[in-house]
Amino acid sequence: MYVILVYDINLEEKEGQRVLRNVFKTCKKYLIHIQNSVFEGELLESQAIKLKAELDKYIREDKDSVILFKSRNQRWLDKEFLGMIEDDKTSNFL
């Protein structure tokens, strides 16, 4: 499945920096970092389950959020870039 993951970590407390660092590292293990708190890539169902389990260790339910957008395949998703950066970091895949 093709996944776009977006997270929002509350940084108002000093614990937030630790959570942000751990969430970023976890996402980087499974997906490609696209922009600030946005990742994307292909995952098997088993990988998605592992990713969610790892993120559950760090996400504070009352302060943070993670959204997973899932699609069967990337070809069903049109990407359009607006703004100054049009770097499609997934374009190096065959």
Side-chain angles (χ1 to χ4, degrees):
M1 84 180 85
Y2 187 75
V3 173
I4 297 174
L5 182 144
V6 180
Y7 62 78
D8 188 17
I9 305 300
N10 185 329
L11 299 175
E12 291 179 6
E13 302 166 8
K14 67 179 183 177
E15 180 187 12
Q17 287 295 331
R18 181 187 58 79
V19 172
L20 177 63
R21 187 172 49 255
N22 289 326
V23 168
F24 180 86
K25 286 181 183 180
T26 300
C27 292
K28 191 95 168 139
K29 285 181 2 186
Y30 294 91
L31 300 165
I32 298 160
H33 185 226
I34 298 301
Q35 180 179 356
N36 292 338
S37 59
V38 180
F39 289 80
E40 70 177 358
E42 290 283 341
L43 291 179
L44 299 172
E45 186 64 36
S46 60
Q47 292 172 313
I49 291 168
K50 287 180 186 179
L51 171 60
K52 289 188 280 187
E54 287 186 43
L55 290 174
D56 272 343
K57 295 177 191 175
Y58 306 116
I59 297 298
R60 302 165 295 174
E61 288 195 20
D62 59 331
K63 295 180 172 85
D64 308 318
S65 67
V66 174
I67 302 171
L68 282 168
F69 298 95
K70 300 178 188 176
S71 176
R72 288 187 185 138
N73 193 306
Q74 182 179 0
R75 70 178 171 201
W76 302 112
L77 178 70
D78 288 331
K79 272 196 238 180
E80 183 176 346
F81 293 90
L82 303 174
M84 30 184 247
I85 299 175
E86 283 193 25
D87 182 20
D88 184 359
K89 295 181 181 180
T90 60
S91 64
N92 59 346
F93 290 116
L94 299 176

